[in-house]
Amino acid sequence: MQNEATVDEISHRTGQRYLTVVVCHDSGRLVWAAAGRDRKTVEAFLDALGEERCKQLELVSADMAAWVAGPIAERCPNAELRLDPFHVVMLATDALDEIRREVWNEARKAGETALAKDLKGARFALWKNPEKLTPRQQLKLAHIQQINQRLYRAYLLKEQLRQIYRVDPDEAIGVLDAWLKWAWRCRLQPFVKLARTIRDQRAGIEAAFRNGLSNARVEQINTQIRLITRRGFGYHSQQAVIALAMLSLGGLCPPLPGR
């Protein structure tokens, strides 16, 4: 069994109130949580873990946040960082939506109100996975293919990137190479920028191919922390949220007071 951890942040209250949470990937338990989402917060976790246990850490799953990757690289010499597939695909979805907004604004400014209306209503058809499209959304997507090749090309780029996580790990690297070549020459600036990001983060993306580690466990914990907060009608103290989360999700069994 490998020493695997997943690091993520959760907003538990309005006003940019964040917690950083660490989950054991093997057991699925919450092992640590603290207020904040910055480098100092991750370093506090590594301080609590200690030098010896930092050396034992082998796999870490996270998003592309530098405040996570930096301390892990510096203080966990044997840990391999894996980038969560969901966050990678989300970047492609964001790039696609940027293109959609550009095309919509161009149509609106040119007085093409019918086209602008079609494009504004196409967001969910473009975002959803093809196998989950309704018949109406399939028609909407086919219409986009006919009326705006630039937007449809952006959609295909998003879907092709998603496929790198659906093929065999040995094939995924070749699919990623092909995607990067396409993105570099697509002349869609949001995707050119994304290709640059993926090139810089490629080691973490390829690591996810080999081991299949993702942020799924920590996202499940985050959902349960939100439920804890909602049941308590919100908490003014972050420490109260952390204490209840550790009690409920960390496998703790504190001794009960004697009668």
Side-chain angles (χ1 to χ4, degrees), residues 239-256:
Q239 291 305 315
V241 178
I242 293 170
L244 284 170
M246 292 301 300
L247 182 62
S248 303
L249 309 171
L252 300 181
C253 187
L256 296 176

mmCIF file of all heavy atoms in Angstrom, residues 239-256:
data_model
loop_
_atom_site.group_PDB
_atom_site.id
_atom_site.type_symbol
_atom_site.label_atom_id
_atom_site.label_comp_id
_atom_site.label_asym_id
_atom_site.label_seq_id
_atom_site.Cartn_x
_atom_site.Cartn_y
_atom_site.Cartn_z
ATOM 1 N N GLN A 239 -12.810 26.964 13.462
ATOM 2 C CA GLN A 239 -12.359 25.853 14.303
ATOM 3 C C GLN A 239 -13.519 24.922 14.653
ATOM 4 O O GLN A 239 -13.322 23.718 14.812
ATOM 5 C CB GLN A 239 -11.692 26.393 15.577
ATOM 6 C CG GLN A 239 -10.366 27.090 15.330
ATOM 7 C CD GLN A 239 -9.384 26.215 14.576
ATOM 8 O OE1 GLN A 239 -9.215 25.036 14.887
ATOM 9 N NE2 GLN A 239 -8.724 26.793 13.580
ATOM 10 N N ALA A 240 -14.716 25.468 14.788
ATOM 11 C CA ALA A 240 -15.878 24.620 15.063
ATOM 12 C C ALA A 240 -16.164 23.700 13.886
ATOM 13 O O ALA A 240 -16.461 22.509 14.064
ATOM 14 C CB ALA A 240 -17.100 25.491 15.371
ATOM 15 N N VAL A 241 -16.068 24.241 12.666
ATOM 16 C CA VAL A 241 -16.277 23.423 11.468
ATOM 17 C C VAL A 241 -15.218 22.322 11.395
ATOM 18 O O VAL A 241 -15.523 21.152 11.122
ATOM 19 C CB VAL A 241 -16.230 24.298 10.196
ATOM 20 C CG1 VAL A 241 -16.387 23.434 8.949
ATOM 21 C CG2 VAL A 241 -17.305 25.367 10.240
ATOM 22 N N ILE A 242 -13.959 22.701 11.645
ATOM 23 C CA ILE A 242 -12.860 21.726 11.583
ATOM 24 C C ILE A 242 -13.055 20.631 12.625
ATOM 25 O O ILE A 242 -12.888 19.434 12.339
ATOM 26 C CB ILE A 242 -11.509 22.440 11.780
ATOM 27 C CG1 ILE A 242 -11.213 23.365 10.593
ATOM 28 C CG2 ILE A 242 -10.383 21.421 11.955
ATOM 29 C CD1 ILE A 242 -10.041 24.284 10.812
ATOM 30 N N ALA A 243 -13.432 21.009 13.852
ATOM 31 C CA ALA A 243 -13.606 20.019 14.915
ATOM 32 C C ALA A 243 -14.708 19.026 14.573
ATOM 33 O O ALA A 243 -14.538 17.804 14.748
ATOM 34 C CB ALA A 243 -13.917 20.733 16.230
ATOM 35 N N LEU A 244 -15.840 19.520 14.079
ATOM 36 C CA LEU A 244 -16.929 18.624 13.721
ATOM 37 C C LEU A 244 -16.566 17.752 12.520
ATOM 38 O O LEU A 244 -16.949 16.580 12.448
ATOM 39 C CB LEU A 244 -18.188 19.442 13.421
ATOM 40 C CG LEU A 244 -18.916 19.999 14.649
ATOM 41 C CD1 LEU A 244 -19.996 20.983 14.234
ATOM 42 C CD2 LEU A 244 -19.519 18.864 15.464
ATOM 43 N N ALA A 245 -15.828 18.324 11.574
ATOM 44 C CA ALA A 245 -15.404 17.549 10.406
ATOM 45 C C ALA A 245 -14.450 16.428 10.813
ATOM 46 O O ALA A 245 -14.584 15.282 10.359
ATOM 47 C CB ALA A 245 -14.744 18.464 9.372
ATOM 48 N N MET A 246 -13.498 16.731 11.674
ATOM 49 C CA MET A 246 -12.552 15.703 12.121
ATOM 50 C C MET A 246 -13.270 14.614 12.918
ATOM 51 O O MET A 246 -12.954 13.431 12.798
ATOM 52 C CB MET A 246 -11.447 16.341 12.965
ATOM 53 C CG MET A 246 -10.513 17.250 12.192
ATOM 54 S SD MET A 246 -9.635 16.427 10.827
ATOM 55 C CE MET A 246 -8.738 15.143 11.699
ATOM 56 N N LEU A 247 -14.248 15.004 13.727
ATOM 57 C CA LEU A 247 -15.001 14.037 14.522
ATOM 58 C C LEU A 247 -15.846 13.128 13.628
ATOM 59 O O LEU A 247 -15.902 11.911 13.840
ATOM 60 C CB LEU A 247 -15.904 14.768 15.520
ATOM 61 C CG LEU A 247 -16.724 13.894 16.473
ATOM 62 C CD1 LEU A 247 -15.816 13.060 17.373
ATOM 63 C CD2 LEU A 247 -17.661 14.746 17.306
ATOM 64 N N SER A 248 -16.465 13.716 12.606
ATOM 65 C CA SER A 248 -17.370 12.960 11.748
ATOM 66 C C SER A 248 -16.663 12.189 10.642
ATOM 67 O O SER A 248 -17.087 11.092 10.267
ATOM 68 C CB SER A 248 -18.402 13.904 11.106
ATOM 69 O OG SER A 248 -19.114 14.619 12.076
ATOM 70 N N LEU A 249 -15.576 12.766 10.113
ATOM 71 C CA LEU A 249 -14.968 12.232 8.884
ATOM 72 C C LEU A 249 -13.544 11.738 9.078
ATOM 73 O O LEU A 249 -12.967 11.170 8.151
ATOM 74 C CB LEU A 249 -14.975 13.319 7.802
ATOM 75 C CG LEU A 249 -16.326 13.994 7.549
ATOM 76 C CD1 LEU A 249 -16.172 15.188 6.615
ATOM 77 C CD2 LEU A 249 -17.317 12.994 6.970
ATOM 78 N N GLY A 250 -12.988 11.974 10.264
ATOM 79 C CA GLY A 250 -11.598 11.592 10.486
ATOM 80 C C GLY A 250 -11.408 10.274 11.208
ATOM 81 O O GLY A 250 -10.277 9.879 11.493
ATOM 82 N N GLY A 251 -12.503 9.594 11.530
ATOM 83 C CA GLY A 251 -12.380 8.317 12.223
ATOM 84 C C GLY A 251 -11.964 8.447 13.671
ATOM 85 O O GLY A 251 -11.478 7.485 14.274
ATOM 86 N N LEU A 252 -12.141 9.641 14.253
ATOM 87 C CA LEU A 252 -11.761 9.839 15.643
ATOM 88 C C LEU A 252 -12.786 9.206 16.586
ATOM 89 O O LEU A 252 -13.976 9.174 16.284
ATOM 90 C CB LEU A 252 -11.651 11.334 15.953
ATOM 91 C CG LEU A 252 -10.627 12.134 15.135
ATOM 92 C CD1 LEU A 252 -10.620 13.593 15.588
ATOM 93 C CD2 LEU A 252 -9.232 11.538 15.275
ATOM 94 N N CYS A 253 -12.309 8.725 17.715
ATOM 95 C CA CYS A 253 -13.198 8.136 18.722
ATOM 96 C C CYS A 253 -12.741 8.605 20.091
ATOM 97 O O CYS A 253 -12.097 7.853 20.848
ATOM 98 C CB CYS A 253 -13.175 6.608 18.631
ATOM 99 S SG CYS A 253 -14.393 5.802 19.687
ATOM 100 N N PRO A 254 -13.060 9.866 20.434
ATOM 101 C CA PRO A 254 -12.594 10.401 21.721
ATOM 102 C C PRO A 254 -13.267 9.692 22.890
ATOM 103 O O PRO A 254 -14.426 9.281 22.794
ATOM 104 C CB PRO A 254 -13.011 11.876 21.650
ATOM 105 C CG PRO A 254 -14.166 11.885 20.704
ATOM 106 C CD PRO A 254 -13.876 10.832 19.683
ATOM 107 N N PRO A 255 -12.582 9.546 24.015
ATOM 108 C CA PRO A 255 -13.191 8.892 25.177
ATOM 109 C C PRO A 255 -14.318 9.749 25.735
ATOM 110 O O PRO A 255 -14.205 10.974 25.810
ATOM 111 C CB PRO A 255 -12.020 8.782 26.168
ATOM 112 C CG PRO A 255 -11.074 9.856 25.762
ATOM 113 C CD PRO A 255 -11.195 9.955 24.258
ATOM 114 N N LEU A 256 -15.384 9.106 26.120
ATOM 115 C CA LEU A 256 -16.515 9.823 26.704
ATOM 116 C C LEU A 256 -16.249 10.059 28.180
ATOM 117 O O LEU A 256 -15.609 9.237 28.848
ATOM 118 C CB LEU A 256 -17.802 9.008 26.520
ATOM 119 C CG LEU A 256 -18.239 8.780 25.075
ATOM 120 C CD1 LEU A 256 -19.471 7.881 25.037
ATOM 121 C CD2 LEU A 256 -18.531 10.110 24.388
#
